Amino acid sequence: MITQVLSPSEGAICEAAKLIFEGELVGFPTETVYGLGANALDAKAVQKIFDAKGRPGDNPLIVHISHIQHLAPLVRERPSAAAKALIDAYWPGPMTLIFPKSTLVPAAVTAGLDTVAVRMPSHPIARRLIEVSALPIAAPSANRSGRPSPTTAKHVLEDMSGRIPLILDGGPCQVGLESTVIDVTGCVPRVLRPGGITPEMIARVAGNVEVDGSVMRPLKEGETPRSPGMKYRHYAPKGNLTIVQGSPDAVAREICRLYDEAKSPALILALQPNLCRYGGRKTISLGMNAEGMAHNLFDALRKADEMGAEVIFSEGLDADGLGLAVMNRLGRAAAFHIVHAS
Ligand code: TXA
Ligand code: MG
């Protein structure tokens, strides 16, 4: 199969919608990361997603909708007051909500779970694709399983070339990290995966929030996470990644020391304002701040692989606000190997 990459004209979106309708897969941009879409109501089409990604069958998918009236057929109960408040505040946007599922949603989508993850993206191309398809679209991130999520069409092509017929190229994704996944089946909204909608933003509109304990630590032996995706090794570069946290001075001193001691090709991931602290050492810029780091992180991890880095040192962030999502992804990529510099 040859993978076409098209700029997202109305004609290209119609071609993509036709492929979705026919049970094929399409790579498409969203404001978070690129998705690998299929008709969510067609179990055979959904199975193709698992095959193309090499994704374990017990990891459920997110169903994408373009209008709020398309939620009711997918869920078994009316959204709770907290869920409604979140929907009003943050849809369309980088937020996925978990609801009890209706019988319309095939078990292939939810990996047999009794709940379904639903998201209404804000990206105009994603929304137009869902509208023209006139179907809910099941879409995980469009990477091969275990690779960093794709934030450009080039990343999707790297992972999916020859496996899918079409990628819509909408340029780089704005947020750069996957959506916040929130379980709204209980009384208090529970963050299963942090993202662009922060716990602070959730508490502000829903009155309360819990963050699942597995967000900032590795899973324990035999532990079953609430969000099955959490148990898989994610976003891991080929090189051995260490995160260094502390004051900018202490972090730079410790990273320089570790870099100079390294016996194999090393690389530093650092915020732009700190690059000058690393002299002539090999660096990749993560941008100006937490937003920049969210936007650049996955591309930096892919570049680290391309550069053949065997040891990688990254500056960390405080795990609050958007920093929680950044540190969750960076932490997983580093198998939570975090050094505190003083
Ligand atoms: O931003 C995003 O969410 C992107 C774009 C394409 O929308 N999609 C994405 O999908 O990141 P994926 O498949 O890479 O991640 C979905 C996450 C996984 O961790 C999965 O386990 C979790 O959502 N999930 C899906 N359905 C669930 C459910 N019913 N209960 C708990 N977790 C669920
Ligand atoms: Mg993913």
Side-chain angles (χ1 to χ4, degrees):
M1 181 185 295
I2 291 174
T3 304
Q4 257 195 305
V5 181
L6 295 179
S7 72
S9 62
E10 184 67 12
I13 293 175
C14 286
E15 190 173 331
K18 183 164 170 279
L19 285 164
I20 299 274
F21 184 77
E22 288 167 350
E24 291 301 328
L25 306 185
V26 172
F28 66 99
T30 83
E31 69 279 20
T32 57
V33 300
Y34 274 73
L36 183 62
N39 175 0
L41 305 182
D42 176 349
K44 263 200 197 144
V46 166
Q47 183 54 45
K48 289 186 187 171
I49 293 179
F50 286 87
D51 297 343
K53 276 183 67 89
R55 182 176 177 107
D58 64 352
N59 194 3
L61 306 176
I62 297 172
V63 179
H64 296 69
I65 57 174
S66 56
H67 290 100
I68 194 64
Q69 64 265 35
H70 299 143
L71 176 64
L74 303 173
V75 303
R76 199 167 56 233
E77 295 160 12
R78 276 164 186 270
S80 65
K84 278 192 68 186
L86 289 169
I87 289 171
D88 287 344
Y90 302 124
W91 270 3
M95 178 180 77
T96 296
L97 299 177
I98 311 277
F99 300 98
K101 87 180 223 7
S102 75
T103 51
L104 185 68
V105 182
V109 171
T110 63
L113 292 178
D114 196 30
T115 51
V116 60
V118 184
R119 174 158 112 79
M120 188 193 294
S122 63
H123 196 291
I125 296 161
R127 295 175 63 77
R128 187 72 191 135
L129 175 63
I130 302 165
E131 265 167 19
V132 178
S133 308
L135 288 166
I137 294 185
S141 48
N143 52 290
R144 290 275 296 163
S145 226
R147 297 260 296 153
S149 293
T151 54
T152 65
K154 175 177 161 275
H155 295 161
V156 181
L157 191 65
E158 276 166 20
D159 282 20
M160 291 296 155
S161 181
R163 297 176 185 274
I164 62 174
L166 178 62
I167 300 167
L168 294 175
D169 183 353
C173 300
Q174 182 206 336
V175 180
L177 297 180
E178 308 89 339
S179 62
T180 308
V181 177
I182 312 168
D183 184 342
V184 288
T185 60
C187 299
V188 178
R190 191 177 187 85
V191 175
L192 305 184
R193 180 178 73 180
I197 304 298
T198 64
E200 294 81 353
M201 292 165 74
I202 297 166
R204 202 183 307 142
V205 301
N208 218 337
V209 66
E210 285 169 1
V211 177
D212 201 69
S214 58
V215 162
M216 280 312 294
R217 58 164 172 78
L219 286 174
K220 295 175 194 132
E221 186 80 17
E223 181 178 357
T224 312
R226 284 172 201 254
S227 184
M230 301 257 223
K231 76 178 177 208
Y232 295 104
R233 189 163 184 254
H234 259 177
Y235 323 116
K238 293 184 192 113
N240 205 321
L241 174 62
T242 301
I243 303 167
V244 182
Q245 268 182 312
S247 71
D249 274 338
V251 167
R253 233 179 301 123
E254 181 64 7
I255 289 184
C256 286
R257 192 184 68 76
L258 292 167
Y259 182 105
D260 293 343
E261 274 179 3
K263 305 229 159 28
S264 34
L267 176 68
I268 298 166
L269 311 184
L271 286 171
Q272 182 77 27
N274 297 335
L275 287 182
C276 56
R277 298 171 186 268
Y278 297 104
R281 298 172 183 85
K282 246 189 211 174
T283 55
I284 293 181
S285 169
L286 292 175
M288 295 306 289
N289 48 29
E291 280 82 44
M293 210 153 155
H295 183 79
N296 292 314
L297 180 63
F298 289 148
D299 186 58
L301 294 176
R302 283 177 182 255
K303 284 207 179 105
D305 279 353
E306 283 163 24
M307 290 165 74
E310 288 178 27
V311 268
I312 307 163
F313 305 104
S314 179
E315 296 180 348
L317 286 178
D318 291 336
D320 53 26
L322 187 59
L324 180 68
V326 172
M327 289 306 288
N328 166 267
R329 307 309 193 278
L330 195 56
R332 271 159 210 281
F336 288 96
H337 186 215
I338 302 177
V339 171
H340 294 274
S342 53

